[in-house]
């Protein structure tokens, strides 16, 4: 499928050359003014620095335990709940089987690629060793069909994480699953857990595939025009957004026929069973490609405790807004009865639907819209990190600006004016405090994701949340700080999969 898209092919070939060079610790001239120009050497995925960083992790936090998983990526037919679709999935199920381990355990995941395409696995949220990060052409060569590959790395970050391919549009099929990393030191202040994976679904419906959908966007351009529309008071840097609709009017590029919670439609909904008064920890993952979700439980409040795996000062509210790639943990104290858990597609028509049952009650109307959805939602940007996970206050050694833009002459999404195949690496060095300044020059929001690190959103008090994926609202600027403590070559990209594939990706590149 990838061959259909000239941009994608060019990207793969170019980056394969980058990878080939990095493996040998590539040296490139930093300027072109003559033979004595200073040279930049990149820290490659196969470098001794990457191996040394993993060894430090094993020494400092390793448990000595290894958890194994056997993953078969392949074509399959899935019943979404009355709707049969031909798609691609891990071990013939959606989501793939959850992987659960403890912080400091080693995960050994053996992938068998039975897809008719190259693939990889990216371990989203884990600051792991660079050569296991799953970005083809940057951290590894793509895994050919019918070829096995073993991912093996120490899992350093507790929390609600997930995995998915990092090749083309594969994430918008059924290739995703949760990775839950428990922290025994955290304490379990709840009675039960429910992992909820939210997804927007089009694959295999009326013959549609995500690749064809991207092809249509490239052919027809923006359906709602990311730059051309004037959303009233929302133009201009730092303009206030409407708290009731923080993402603005234009939240996505694709209309989906279905929205799923844990791979099922409302006709056969995912169901949580518990007793009245119990506290359930919801671990919520937005695996959608183009859809933010607003989540609420009818008749209940949510208390958000973690964002992207890291603890936050608890915030209680009626609903929660989750960008693509973000995860939140929330505690709900359950009443007595049968309650809808709804993930409304923000700015779109439709919703995912699940049920929480603690007592007597009949069947719920799957179109029910709990009034909790109408209050302004909690967003990641409004959270504050718990003290113990804040970065120490320090001025940045390096500031990189990432101008998020688009090109009206086609479906091209850019960072600093370039698509990924033309990107200039953002250079950093081990030990630096690095600030990334995301400047959104478009009228769409972008959920920006950084691989291999957890950043802290910058605020006046040094108390912003620790995250790996942050909303950058329309025409606004978000700054994040990180400590450069995990050497290698790391992707920074928009987790709108269509934006990312259309160019909105770059690299944070350690130099020697
Ligand atoms: Cu985007």
């Amino acid at each position: 499928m990838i061959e259909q898209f000239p941009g994608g092919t060019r990207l793969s070939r170019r980056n394969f050359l980058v990878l080939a060079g990095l493996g040998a610790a590539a040296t490139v001239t930093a300027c072109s003014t003559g033979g004595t120009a200073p040279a930049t050497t990149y820290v490659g995925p196969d470098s001794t620095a990457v191996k040394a960083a993993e060894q430090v992790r094993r020494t400092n936090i390793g448990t000595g335990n290894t958890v194994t998983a056997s993953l078969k990526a392949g074509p399959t037919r899935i019943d979404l709940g009355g709707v049969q679709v031909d798609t691609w999935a891990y071990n013939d199920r959606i989501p793939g089987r959850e992987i659960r381990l403890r912080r400091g355990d080693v995960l050994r995941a053996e992938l068998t690629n039975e897809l008719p395409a190259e693939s990889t696995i990216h371990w989203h949220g884990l600051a792991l060793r660079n050569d296991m990060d799953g970005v083809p052409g940057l951290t590894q060569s793509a895994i050919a069909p019918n070829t096995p590959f073993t991912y093996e790395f120490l899992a350093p970050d507790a929390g609600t994480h997930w995995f998915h391919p990092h090749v083309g549009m594969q994430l918008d099929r059924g290739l995703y699953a949760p990775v839950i990393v428990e922290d025994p030191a955290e304490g379990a202040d709840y009675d039960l857990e429910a992992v909820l994976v939210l997804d927007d679904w089009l694959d295999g419906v009326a013959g549609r595939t995500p690749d064809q959908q991207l092809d249509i966007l490239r052919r027809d351009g923006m359906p709602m025009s990311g730059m051309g529309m004037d959303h009233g008071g929302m133009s201009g840097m730092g303009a206030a957004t409407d708290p009731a609709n923080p993402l603005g009017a234009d939240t996505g590029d694709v209309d989906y026929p279905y929205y799923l919670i844990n791979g099922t439609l409302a006709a056969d909904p995912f169901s949580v069973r518990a007793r009245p008064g119990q506290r359930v920890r919801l671990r919520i993952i937005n695996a959608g490609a183009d859809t933010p979700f607003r989540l609420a439980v009818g008749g209940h409040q949510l208390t958000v405790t973690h964002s992207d795996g890291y603890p936050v000062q608890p915030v209680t509210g009626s609903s929660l807004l989750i960008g693509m790639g973000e995860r939140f943990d929330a505690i709900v104290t359950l009443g007595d009865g049968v309650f809808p858990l709804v993930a409304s597609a923000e700015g779109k028509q439709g919703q995912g639907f699940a049920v929480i049952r603690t007592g007597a009650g009949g069947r719920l109307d799957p179109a029910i819209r709990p009034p909790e959805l109408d209050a302004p939602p909690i967003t990641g940007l409004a959270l504050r990190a718990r003290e113990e996970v804040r970065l120490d206050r320090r001025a940045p050694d390096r500031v990189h600006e990432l101008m998020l833009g688009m090109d009206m002459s086609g479906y091209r999404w850019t960072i600093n004016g370039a698509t990924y195949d033309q990107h200039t690496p953002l250079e950093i060095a081990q030990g630096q405090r690095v600030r990334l300044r995301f400047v959104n020059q478009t009228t769409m929001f972008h959920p920006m994701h950084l691989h291999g690190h957890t950043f802290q959103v910058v605020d006046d008090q040094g108390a912003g949340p620790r995250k790996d994926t942050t909303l950058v609202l329309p025409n606004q600027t978000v700054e994040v700080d990180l400590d450069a403590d995990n050497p290698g070559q790391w992707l920074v990209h928009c987790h709108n999969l269509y934006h990312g594939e259309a160019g909105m990706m770059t690299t944070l590149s350690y130099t020697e």
Side-chain angles (χ1 to χ4, degrees):
M1 284 301 191
I2 287 167
E3 301 76 29
Q4 291 179 4
F5 307 107
T9 304
R10 208 165 50 237
L11 180 151
S12 302
R13 189 183 306 125
R14 195 264 183 184
N15 285 304
F16 181 76
L17 296 175
V18 172
L19 173 65
L22 289 171
T27 301
V28 298
T29 51
C31 69
S32 56
T33 52
T36 57
T40 302
T41 303
Y42 290 111
V43 177
D46 297 330
S47 63
T48 54
V50 169
K51 293 182 179 70
E54 180 73 352
Q55 199 53 52
V56 168
R57 279 189 281 268
R58 294 204 187 205
T59 301
N60 289 348
I61 61 170
T63 62
N65 296 326
T66 297
V67 172
T68 59
S70 183
L71 304 169
K72 183 203 73 177
T76 189
R77 174 164 291 186
I78 299 281
D79 182 357
L80 302 177
V83 175
Q84 310 277 326
V85 290
D86 291 315
T87 186
W88 297 354
Y90 292 116
N91 304 84
D92 303 300
R93 43 175 289 166
I94 298 174
R97 189 173 293 110
E98 167 190 305
I99 294 175
R100 192 172 279 256
L101 63 169
R102 288 185 160 192
R103 177 175 184 265
D105 287 352
V106 167
L107 176 62
R108 182 188 300 139
E110 295 173 1
L111 171 66
T112 307
N113 181 12
E114 296 185 3
L115 301 170
E118 296 181 334
S119 195
T120 63
I121 294 178
H122 170 59
W123 307 90
H124 184 127
L126 295 166
L128 44 55
R129 54 184 298 164
N130 188 234
D131 54 347
M132 294 290 144
D133 194 47
V135 179
L138 187 69
T139 68
Q140 69 172 106
S141 298
I143 303 162
N146 300 308
T147 305
F149 186 90
T150 299
Y151 287 93
E152 186 167 347
F153 56 86
L154 183 140
D157 309 287
T160 302
H161 308 300
W162 58 304
F163 67 90
H164 59 78
H166 225 293
V167 172
M169 304 306 296
Q170 291 178 10
L171 166 61
D172 204 21
R173 297 182 189 249
L175 293 163
Y176 56 79
V179 180
I180 307 300
V181 182
E182 297 179 344
D183 180 358
E186 183 183 74
D189 191 18
Y190 52 91
D191 301 301
L192 71 158
E193 283 191 17
V195 179
L196 303 169
V197 188
L198 316 179
D199 193 19
D200 45 17
W201 192 273
L202 61 78
D203 193 34
V205 179
R208 213 165 162 200
T209 70
D211 298 275
Q212 290 166 350
Q213 184 60 49
L214 178 61
D215 210 11
I216 290 167
L217 288 169
R218 284 187 160 141
R219 189 189 65 212
D220 298 346
M222 288 291 293
M224 289 180 278
S225 179
M227 290 289 264
M229 277 173 68
D230 179 14
H231 294 304
M234 288 176 34
S235 56
M237 205 69 73
T241 53
D242 173 3
N245 297 289
L247 302 183
D250 186 2
T251 60
D253 296 341
V254 180
D255 289 323
Y256 285 84
Y258 299 120
Y259 298 97
L260 310 178
I261 297 180
N262 290 347
T264 61
L265 295 164
D268 181 22
F270 178 76
S271 178
V272 178
R273 285 180 182 275
R275 291 193 299 278
Q278 282 190 315
R279 288 155 55 82
V280 59
R281 177 182 189 168
L282 305 178
R283 293 180 177 268
I284 308 152
I285 302 163
N286 185 349
D290 181 70
T291 306
F293 287 99
R294 189 184 295 213
L295 183 137
V297 179
H300 292 75
Q301 298 277 291
L302 307 155
T303 299
V304 177
T305 61
H306 296 73
S307 76
D308 298 356
Y310 275 74
V312 296
Q313 294 183 349
V315 171
T316 299
S318 298
S319 73
L320 173 60
L321 187 62
I322 311 157
M324 298 80 83
E326 286 190 294
R327 294 89 61 211
F328 290 95
D329 294 16
I331 302 277
V332 179
T333 303
L334 296 171
D336 188 352
V338 181
F339 306 100
L341 187 156
V342 171
S344 175
E346 182 80 359
K348 300 184 180 187
Q349 293 294 321
Q351 63 186 27
F353 176 83
V355 176
I356 299 178
R357 186 179 295 273
T358 64
R363 189 175 170 278
L364 296 170
D365 175 3
I368 192 169
R369 186 179 165 84
E372 285 79 8
L373 290 170
D374 296 333
I378 299 168
T379 72
L381 291 169
L383 299 173
R384 293 165 65 87
R386 286 180 64 108
E387 302 245 2
E388 64 268 24
V389 298
R390 292 179 190 171
L391 298 182
D392 54 315
R393 298 200 79 166
R394 178 179 163 190
D397 303 301
R398 199 77 201 249
V399 179
H400 283 299
E401 200 154 79
L402 292 86
M403 309 296 277
L404 311 180
M406 72 165 300
D407 183 343
M408 286 301 288
S409 67
Y411 192 73
R412 292 175 73 249
W413 292 93
T414 57
I415 296 176
N416 295 334
T419 49
Y420 183 50
D421 55 320
Q422 301 161 338
H423 83 279
T424 301
L426 305 171
E427 296 178 354
I428 63 173
Q430 180 129 9
Q432 288 179 336
R433 169 66 55 86
V434 177
R435 177 165 294 179
L436 304 181
R437 181 179 294 137
F438 298 109
V439 181
N440 188 351
Q441 301 179 306
T442 76
T443 55
M444 285 188 81
F445 87 102
H446 303 285
M448 297 303 296
H449 174 50
L450 170 64
H451 289 208
H453 303 76
T454 299
F455 50 67
Q456 183 173 11
V457 177
V458 174
D459 69 2
D460 292 343
Q461 289 88 41
R466 292 289 300 274
K467 291 178 70 60
D468 54 66
T469 309
T470 185
L471 301 178
V472 185
L473 300 180
N475 286 313
Q476 297 216 342
T477 295
V478 172
E479 294 180 327
V480 302
D481 279 358
L482 63 115
D483 283 328
D485 57 3
N486 196 15
Q489 304 298 310
W490 301 104
L491 217 56
V492 187
H493 66 98
C494 180
H495 223 282
N496 181 312
L497 186 65
Y498 290 84
H499 294 184
E501 273 305 289
M504 196 173 259
M505 305 198 289
T506 189
T507 58
L508 201 58
S509 294
Y510 282 69
T511 60
E512 284 183 350

